[in-house]
Each structure stands twice: as structure tokens, then as C-alpha cells.
Amino acid sequence: MKKTLPAALVAAAALTLAACGAAPEEEPEATGEETTAGEETGGESTDFTACLISDEGGWDDASFNESAFNGLTQAEADLGIEVRDAESTDPGQYAANADAMVQAGCSLTVGVGFALEDTIQEVAEANPDLNFALVDSAFSDAEFNPVELDNAKPLLFNTQEAAFLAGYLAAGMTETGTVATYGGQPFPSVTIFMDGFVDGVAAYNEANGTDVQALGWDKEAQNGSMTGDFTNTENGYNTTQQFIADGADIILPVAGPVGSGSLRAAAEHEGVSVIWVDSDGYEQPANADYQQLILTSVLKQIQTAVYDTIDASVGGEFSAEPYVGTLENGGVGLAPFHDFEDAVPAELQAEIEDLQAQIIAGELEVTSPSAN
């Protein structure tokens, strides 16, 4: 197995990304058992089996695992394929879950998150006759040099572009002059959000002559506030309470379900709001009691990326060429403002739309050490 990337280097590793998603309520609890979609949907049955492995956040994380799971179930319904899933609750389960998918003869196995890089790379190298994909990370050797595999496809996202817009929005909406962000662990797929966010705040300051402070992340040093995992919501609550005590009134948690702790903390303080990540947090059933606190969400279209990869594979057109989601191709973006729609000034909305157009046109480059 490759050496684990040291924490000081994880955030700066080029060409690697990672992040955290949940099963819709109407779907049965993940069991890892095979389902014949054609029998249930009336679609044409196929001998193709698509498989999915979560990271420790599990399918109900209201974030990236859930989004990936939704892509799997969409493929099951639309394509008449068989599916299997393995919900990891601990990193120690990754290797066993991947081996189970190989033993089951999965045509395509998708791992969700940077934490599964070593696992997916090892099974892909050991099973060249099977195909694999990995959400939020590319592949690398023991010295962290990029590695290309003919049977493994990275699904990556230039999230810093959308996070930049979120930072600009936060700087324009803060009443206290202070905003904040934190992550679960210093994976590139986490720090890429934080890079874009603080750059967006800085851009707003430059454009408007303001001095909004962004707590929680130093882009230059690639160092900041991390809760330590993607499962302990109490850590998210406590971290957010400290940011609020320090004056922040808009918080961007980049920690999957840990972000629900931020929503709980925000609910205890008048005028504090949260920016969600990966999926539209306003639409997540798990966040139903806190919808009014969600300013917007920084979106990654993981569901679409997973579905499209499965669809191409079913059609015999699997490609190991990396998918990279951008503002230009719709792979990343900002969610609607929902309950804040009337609160966001029209002038600020216009500025954000103009910045998005500049990024898409290549006139404005938003950089991150974690980007592709």
C-alpha cells in the first residue's frame, strides 16, 4: 500500500481532490445486495453490474456520498442494470468493501471520496479486466506523482470556481464584517472549497474597498481549521460556536454531515447563516428544520458524473480520461438563494453573475493548489 499523505502535504497535492453524500428517503437502506433493475422498472435488463462504495460518511450524509448514491439509483432505474453498494462506516472497511465488489464481478466499481484513492487504485491495478472510477481524486504513486490507469477514471471538480462566488456573496452579505470556513480533514477536495472561498472574500474587498475578514483558512500557508473527520457533528457545532464568538455571521463548513452541527449552532444565534457544500443543502430532508438558515450551497454535480460514467460504461464506451466539473460545463455552481432571494441585493447578484461569466470566459482565473 502507498504511504498515507502527510497532513501538511495533503492540501497541496496537485491533481488530487476529495470530498463527502445520502440516499433519498424513498430508497431502501443500503445492504450491499444485488438488485435486478429491469424486473422492477420494466426497463430492458442487462448483465452489467454497477457498484458503489461510500467513505465513512455513509449514504445519508446530505452531501457527496448521497449525491453519488443518487447517481447509482438513477442508473438502476434508467438503464436496467444490476447494482450493489457498500456503505462504509469506518476507513478500515474500505479494502474489504472493494474486495467484495471485485469478488461479485462488478462491471464498474465507483469509490466515493479522496480517502478511497489507495483502495480503488490497488484493486484497479490488480484487476485490469474490470473498470473503476473514483469521485474527488486522481491517482498517484508512492511519491505522489500522477498515475494514469487504463481501467480507472477520476471524477474531479474545480470547486474553487463556485466557492469563489460563494465567498464573494458572503462578503457582500455579512453584517458583522467577518465570515468563516472550516473543513473535516485537509484533503484537497476539502481545501479547494476553502481556497476559493477566501479568494472570493478578498476579491469583494478589493472591488468594494471593504475589509471583510475570513476566519478558518490561510490559503498561502494551506493551513486552517479542521474538525478531524466527516462524522462528528458535535465538532462542527463547537467550531461554529467559536467562529460566532469571534464575530462571524456566515459559515462555510466543508465536512459533509458535520455541517449539520453548524446549522444547529447558527439556529441559536440571530443573524447567522450557513453555506452548504456538494449538494443543495436547502433541498436535503436532513436539513428541513434549518432551511431558513442556508444562504446558498456550493454545488458539485456528483450524481450526474456518476450516472454518466455508468451510462457510458453500459454502452461499452468507458474511458479513463478524467472528468472535470467546471462552471463552464455545469459540473460546479451555486444553488439558488431560496429564502434569502429577496435579501441578496440585486446589485450583488449582478456582480456574482458577472464574475461567473468572467470565469467561464477565461477572463478571471480562480486558482487552488488542489485544482486540476
Side-chain angles (χ1 to χ4, degrees):
M1 176 178 290
K2 295 184 297 181
K3 295 180 180 179
T4 302
L5 193 61
L9 296 179
V10 173
L15 297 175
T16 46
L17 297 172
C20 314
E25 288 187 335
E26 65 271 21
E27 294 294 339
E29 184 177 353
T31 63
E33 296 183 355
E34 208 169 45
T35 303
T36 304
E39 295 176 359
E40 297 182 0
T41 66
E44 183 180 350
S45 183
T46 173
D47 60 1
F48 188 97
T49 302
C51 302
L52 192 70
I53 305 169
S54 82
D55 81 349
E56 64 176 319
W59 300 133
D60 59 350
D61 66 353
S63 187
F64 64 96
N65 283 301
E66 181 174 350
S67 297
F69 189 90
N70 290 341
L72 180 74
T73 56
Q74 180 187 358
E76 179 187 16
D78 291 354
L79 306 176
I81 61 173
E82 294 179 349
V83 302
R84 288 179 179 268
D85 69 270
E87 183 175 32
S88 308
T89 57
D90 183 273
Q93 298 175 333
Y94 297 159
N97 284 339
D99 183 66
M101 297 309 184
V102 170
Q103 296 305 317
C106 296
S107 311
L108 172 70
T109 298
V110 183
V112 186
F114 178 93
L116 277 91
E117 179 196 344
D118 284 357
T119 298
I120 296 299
Q121 183 168 338
E122 287 171 5
V123 295
E125 290 173 341
N127 298 275
D129 55 327
L130 301 175
N131 290 330
F132 299 85
L134 180 60
V135 175
D136 272 336
S137 181
F139 303 101
S140 59
D141 61 19
E143 285 72 43
F144 313 116
N145 299 308
V147 169
E148 296 181 3
L149 304 174
D150 291 339
N151 64 327
K153 181 181 187 71
L155 306 179
L156 309 174
F157 301 86
N158 281 352
T159 328
Q160 81 278 4
E161 296 179 349
F164 177 91
L165 302 180
Y168 197 96
L169 170 69
M173 290 294 292
T174 180
E175 295 292 335
T176 64
T178 303
V179 300
T181 183
Y182 70 88
Q185 291 178 289
F187 293 154
S189 58
V190 171
T191 59
I192 192 171
F193 280 92
M194 302 168 80
D195 285 340
F197 183 76
V198 299
D199 278 353
V201 173
Y204 181 89
N205 286 334
E206 183 177 354
N208 295 276
T210 52
D211 188 28
V212 176
Q213 300 298 303
L215 307 179
W217 186 243
D218 183 333
K219 180 183 177 183
E220 183 176 353
Q222 287 291 290
N223 184 49
S225 179
M226 299 288 160
T227 62
D229 60 34
F230 297 96
T231 56
N232 192 329
T233 60
E234 197 64 22
N235 286 344
Y237 174 84
N238 292 333
T239 299
T240 301
Q241 290 284 21
Q242 184 59 58
F243 281 142
I244 294 171
D246 291 338
D249 62 350
I250 300 176
I251 316 293
L252 172 75
V254 192
V258 173
S260 64
S262 291
L263 290 171
R264 182 159 58 90
E268 298 176 1
H269 299 270
E270 184 72 25
V272 177
S273 59
V274 171
I275 298 176
W276 201 251
V277 297
D278 294 330
S279 60
D280 188 342
Y282 188 94
E283 303 291 351
Q284 293 295 332
N287 296 338
D289 293 339
Y290 301 108
Q291 287 179 318
Q292 74 279 7
L293 303 177
I294 298 176
L295 174 57
T296 187
S297 301
V298 182
L299 301 176
K300 289 165 50 175
Q301 300 298 346
I302 294 174
Q303 176 176 344
T304 300
V306 169
Y307 177 86
D308 287 350
T309 300
I310 295 173
D311 187 26
S313 300
V314 171
E317 297 180 356
F318 174 86
S319 167
E321 181 179 356
Y323 164 83
V324 180
T326 65
L327 284 176
E328 182 176 11
N329 63 22
V332 300
L334 278 190
F337 302 135
H338 296 296
D339 291 354
F340 285 86
E341 187 66 39
D342 293 336
V344 180
E347 181 180 356
L348 180 58
Q349 293 193 41
E351 289 176 23
I352 292 170
E353 291 172 0
D354 182 59
L355 289 169
Q356 177 168 316
Q358 290 181 47
I359 294 170
I360 291 173
E363 299 168 359
L364 172 61
E365 183 180 9
V366 183
T367 63
S368 168
S370 301
N372 302 283

